[in-house]
Amino acid sequence: SSDVCSSDLNKQYVTADELVETLGVSKGKAYQIIRQLNDELVAEGFIKIAGKCPRKYFEKRYYGYDSKG
């Protein structure tokens, strides 16, 4: 069903709201972080989705590792 697909997609991307909760930053700062990470991905030739960042890339850049889960 489309709910499963959309749920899987949400797990693959972090949103500004999630960064506000996880990192304790303002929503403006969360969007700034996402924008910076997306700009890095675009520079490497990837396609970006405004307001979202691939979870694995965020974890790698922010925490220094990829999650295995």
Side-chain angles (χ1 to χ4, degrees):
S1 79
S2 64
D3 290 339
V4 172
C5 183
S6 124
S7 174
D8 289 344
L9 185 64
N10 288 339
K11 291 177 188 174
Q12 291 176 5
Y13 289 87
V14 292
T15 63
D17 289 333
E18 188 174 350
L19 294 187
V20 167
E21 291 179 22
T22 317
L23 304 178
V25 297
S26 69
K27 192 172 256 193
K29 181 64 174 177
Y31 277 114
Q32 182 183 4
I33 292 168
I34 289 172
R35 204 166 20 251
Q36 177 184 340
L37 295 175
N38 278 339
D39 288 347
E40 292 172 9
L41 287 168
V42 168
E44 294 178 28
F46 292 94
I47 297 170
K48 73 175 180 178
I49 298 176
K52 295 182 179 184
C53 176
R55 182 174 305 281
K56 288 187 179 192
Y57 188 70
F58 166 74
E59 290 173 350
K60 180 179 178 184
R61 289 285 286 116
Y62 202 81
Y63 300 115
Y65 64 87
D66 290 316
S67 97
K68 304 294 184 219

